[in-house]
Amino acid sequence: MKPLLVLLSVFIIAIAINKIFRGNYEFALSGKVAMSVMLLFTASAHFAFNNGMAMMLPDFVPYKAQVVYLTGIIEIAAAIGLFVPAFSVMTAWLLIAFFLLILPSNIYAAIKHIDYQKATYNGSGINYLWFRIPLQILFIAWTYLSAIKNWQ
């Protein structure tokens, strides 16, 4: 829920700032700014809640803590890459792939009732997926529209 609030709040603020200072809304730019801030926000969780996020990975995944750190670094790199003109579109496609690749860990965490912030098995469970899967689809569409299609 928090990443969605960050995404939407930053998007609204960026739209307002663009309208005031640039004279137009710059939807694509505002969308990339919002996605980048959201990625930085979620990346911070990879470092703050590493133990709980490592629990989200199935047993067959080795070096869980390191994988969580790596995915946090990937999110930071994507947040930056969206603004490097030569890499923006490629970053967006890789980010879409990333969103698809991390979905199974969210499903696994929901099935196992993992609360990643507390590193316990007392999470909200399978009902969380009613929110998480549409949220993942939103992130994919958002990335496509703001960084690949550059909607106006």
Side-chain angles (χ1 to χ4, degrees):
M1 182 64 134
K2 292 175 189 173
L4 178 61
L5 293 176
V6 170
L7 184 72
L8 296 176
S9 299
V10 172
F11 182 65
I12 291 167
I13 292 167
I15 283 177
I17 289 171
N18 279 317
K19 181 62 174 169
I20 292 166
F21 292 105
R22 292 179 155 212
N24 55 39
Y25 294 106
E26 299 278 346
F27 290 111
L29 176 61
S30 298
K32 287 197 306 189
V33 168
M35 179 56 68
S36 291
V37 172
M38 190 275 301
L39 286 168
L40 294 173
F41 174 78
T42 57
S44 68
H46 290 246
F47 302 98
F49 305 112
N50 185 273
N51 292 337
M53 288 193 130
M55 293 170 63
M56 294 173 66
L57 299 172
D59 290 336
F60 67 83
V61 175
Y63 306 107
K64 290 180 171 85
Q66 291 83 354
V67 169
V68 173
Y69 287 132
L70 178 62
T71 55
I73 292 167
I74 288 169
E75 289 182 353
I76 293 168
I80 296 166
L82 288 173
F83 290 98
V84 179
F87 299 110
S88 181
V89 172
M90 180 182 65
T91 298
W93 282 117
L94 291 172
L95 188 54
I96 288 169
F98 177 77
F99 287 143
L100 291 171
L101 288 171
I102 63 170
L103 186 57
S105 66
N106 288 294
I107 294 169
Y108 178 84
I111 291 169
K112 297 291 185 178
H113 294 263
I114 295 170
D115 180 338
Y116 75 89
Q117 291 181 332
K118 296 178 182 173
T120 66
Y121 291 98
N122 298 324
S124 58
I126 202 81
N127 288 332
Y128 172 68
L129 295 178
W130 289 107
F131 173 74
R132 185 62 200 202
I133 291 174
L135 181 65
Q136 211 71 4
I137 293 168
L138 173 68
F139 290 162
I140 290 166
W142 193 285
T143 302
Y144 177 78
L145 290 171
S146 64
I148 296 169
K149 186 164 173 54
N150 285 315
W151 90 82
Q152 299 303 319

